[in-house]
């Protein structure tokens, strides 16, 4: 008689969280472009904001623990988009606590930075949502139908409610997104530290790939990924970041990368294998979605419903934090380049 092996049980979410299988968010963010190209484009662009860069430099985590930082960031983004209601609220609360200590003085402008500040949060939020959609268009299926794109930006505003952002400040159209970036452009600074950090992040193998992979594969991955990400940047941003690249290289990088991404998208098993190698913390969050595993309760909540039951909202938490600081209370800022244990999003 053969050995009876236990049947594999797949992960299952308690509910559909705040978006669900009918959302454009699930359609776009679950596509393989999100994992490396969309994420890398977002974090590279973000470094041009002096306040974000000051926080990154002061923390030192991106350089000291790049794989862990990438893994945790992917886990957070995946949880907000694909996690169940309880997981999303817990992740949003954890991010508030992490950012509450990320405060200090920007050495370039001499002004105070605060990672929970709504303006800084909006910059990061829109850069991420725009980059994920743009790499989906360039390397994936192409542009969304107009109705789906409108829905995407509405869902972007919904996701903003899990940060300190006022959802009314989130543009709802592509033209609105362009106008936002145009208005933010004068605040961007191409400092030496910004260019150095952008260059570091474009060396994607140190961030995305497990260290045991052979060096030639790592170099090939970085060579292609770096050029593919730069190919999506506008010319003015390349000048700021010190990342020039001829148009012929843009075209070649896209032509090489696009079929690989589309091949990965054809196989759930391949997508999960890549995800396990690149971001193991994200696997339990995204696997049920990629496999089409139904939630125990197939319902979608709204942020208003969730926070009415569980409150307070991130914006309310931030108001309380500012009041505590005014009384010279609240959490102590992180020490420079700290190595403290990190709060877990799970």
């Amino acid at each position: 008689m053969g050995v009876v092996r236990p049947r594999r049980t797949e992960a299952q979410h308690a509910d559909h969280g705040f978006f669900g299988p009918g959302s454009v968010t699930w359609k776009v963010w679950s596509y393989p472009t999100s994992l490396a190209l969309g994420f890398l484009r977002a974090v590279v662009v973000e470094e041009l904001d002096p306040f974000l860069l000051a926080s990154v430099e002061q923390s030192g985590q991106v350089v000291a623990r790049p794989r862990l930082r990438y893994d945790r960031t992917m886990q957070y983004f995946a949880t907000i988009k694909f996690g169940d209601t309880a997981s999303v609220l817990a992740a949003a609360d954890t991010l508030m606590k992490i950012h509450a200590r990320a405060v200090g003085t920007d050495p370039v402008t001499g002004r105070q930075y605060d990672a929970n500040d709504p303006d800084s949060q909006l910059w990061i939020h829109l850069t991420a949502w725009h980059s994920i959609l743009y790499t989906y268009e360039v390397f994936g299926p192409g542009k969304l139908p107009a109705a789906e794109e409108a829905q995407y930006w509405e869902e972007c505003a919904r996701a903003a409610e899990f940060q300190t952002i006022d959802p009314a400040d989130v543009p709802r159209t592509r033209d609105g997104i362009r106008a936002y970036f145009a208005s933010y452009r004068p605040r961007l600074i191409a400092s030496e530290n910004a260019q150095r950090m952008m260059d570091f992040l474009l060396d994607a193998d140190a961030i995305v790939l497990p260290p045991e992979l052979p060096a030639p594969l790592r170099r090939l991955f970085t060579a292609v990924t770096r050029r593919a990400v730069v190919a999506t940047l506008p010319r003015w941003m390349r000048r700021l970041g010190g990342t020039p690249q001829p148009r012929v290289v843009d075209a070649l990088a896209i032509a090489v990368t696009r079929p690989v991404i589309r091949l990965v998208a054809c196989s759930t098993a391949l997508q999960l294998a890549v995800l396990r190698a690149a971001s193991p913390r994200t696997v339990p969050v995204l696997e049920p979605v990629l496999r089409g595993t139904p939630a125990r309760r197939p319902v979608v909540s709204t942020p208003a419903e969730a926070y009415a039951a569980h409150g307070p909202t991130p914006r309310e938490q931030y108001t309380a934090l500012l009041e505590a600081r005014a009384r010279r209370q609240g959490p102590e800022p992180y020490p420079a380049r700290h190595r403290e244990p990190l709060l877990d999003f799970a």
Side-chain angles (χ1 to χ4, degrees):
M1 188 179 201
V3 177
V4 178
R5 300 185 182 276
R7 185 177 179 182
R8 181 183 182 278
T9 58
E10 294 179 357
Q12 186 177 31
H13 290 313
D15 54 53
H16 285 317
F18 297 91
F19 298 99
S23 68
V24 183
T25 296
W26 276 30
K27 175 179 178 178
V28 173
W29 281 76
S30 66
Y31 198 78
T33 42
S34 298
L35 185 62
L37 297 171
F39 172 84
L40 289 171
R41 185 189 191 277
V43 295
V44 165
V45 170
E46 287 166 5
E47 303 306 319
L48 291 170
D49 177 6
F51 291 165
L52 179 138
L53 178 66
S55 177
V56 168
E57 289 277 303
Q58 189 267 351
S59 159
Q61 300 305 298
V62 171
V63 174
R65 299 188 270 192
R67 285 261 310 153
L68 178 61
R69 182 65 181 262
Y70 167 77
D71 196 13
R72 284 168 52 81
T73 304
M74 288 298 299
Q75 178 192 18
Y76 166 78
F77 276 126
T79 300
I80 297 299
K81 280 69 181 178
F82 306 108
D84 53 40
T85 301
S87 298
V88 173
L89 297 181
D93 186 64
T94 298
L95 188 69
M96 281 292 303
K97 290 183 172 68
I98 293 171
H99 284 170
R101 299 181 62 194
V103 294
T105 302
D106 168 31
V108 175
T109 65
R111 296 170 58 192
Q112 296 295 303
Y113 67 85
D114 177 351
N116 271 325
D117 179 78
D119 281 347
S120 294
Q121 295 260 302
L122 183 61
W123 163 251
I124 297 169
H125 185 71
L126 291 182
T127 301
W129 279 74
H130 174 261
S131 293
I132 296 298
L133 178 59
Y134 191 55
T135 52
Y136 175 90
E137 293 174 342
V138 173
F139 301 102
K143 288 190 175 183
L144 297 170
E148 288 193 358
E149 183 172 342
Q151 183 181 340
Y152 181 83
W153 295 118
E154 286 293 335
E155 292 168 3
C156 173
R158 188 186 313 165
E161 297 191 52
F162 302 111
Q163 296 173 260
T164 60
I165 303 163
D166 184 345
D169 292 336
V170 178
R172 302 304 207 275
T173 64
R174 185 177 292 257
D175 286 342
I177 293 294
R178 290 195 184 105
Y180 169 81
F181 285 118
S183 69
Y184 208 90
R185 181 173 171 178
R187 300 167 61 173
L188 305 180
I189 297 178
S191 66
E192 290 183 6
N193 283 345
Q195 293 185 356
R196 178 177 53 80
M197 186 59 68
M198 293 171 74
D199 184 63
F200 174 81
L201 291 167
L202 285 168
D203 284 339
D205 68 295
I207 298 169
V208 178
L209 299 182
E212 60 271 15
L213 278 184
L217 287 180
R218 302 175 67 86
R219 287 195 293 269
L220 176 62
F221 177 82
T222 286
V224 174
T225 303
R226 169 186 282 268
R227 287 160 178 80
V229 170
V230 172
T232 67
L233 301 180
R235 298 284 159 180
W236 66 265
M237 195 172 287
R238 300 187 202 190
R239 289 193 294 271
L240 277 181
T243 57
Q245 182 167 282
R247 295 182 188 277
V248 65
V249 177
D250 291 351
L252 183 59
I254 292 170
V256 169
T257 306
R258 184 183 287 149
V260 175
I261 293 293
R262 292 181 176 178
L263 176 64
V264 173
C266 292
S267 169
T268 299
L270 187 53
Q271 290 179 68
L272 286 170
V274 172
L275 189 62
R276 289 189 188 98
S279 181
R281 293 168 184 257
T282 305
V283 174
V285 184
L286 196 50
E287 183 173 13
V289 174
L290 294 178
R291 293 190 182 280
T293 306
R296 289 192 289 274
R297 293 177 60 248
V299 296
V300 176
S301 302
T302 68
E305 292 168 341
Y307 281 117
H310 303 286
T313 68
R315 294 179 69 198
E316 291 167 342
Q317 292 179 57
Y318 186 55
T319 298
L321 178 61
L322 294 179
E323 292 171 351
R325 286 181 188 157
R327 300 191 301 269
R328 298 186 181 280
Q329 298 173 349
E332 290 291 323
Y334 290 114
R337 291 169 175 75
H338 72 91
R339 295 302 297 238
E340 298 179 16
L342 302 176
L343 296 177
D344 199 341
F345 287 116

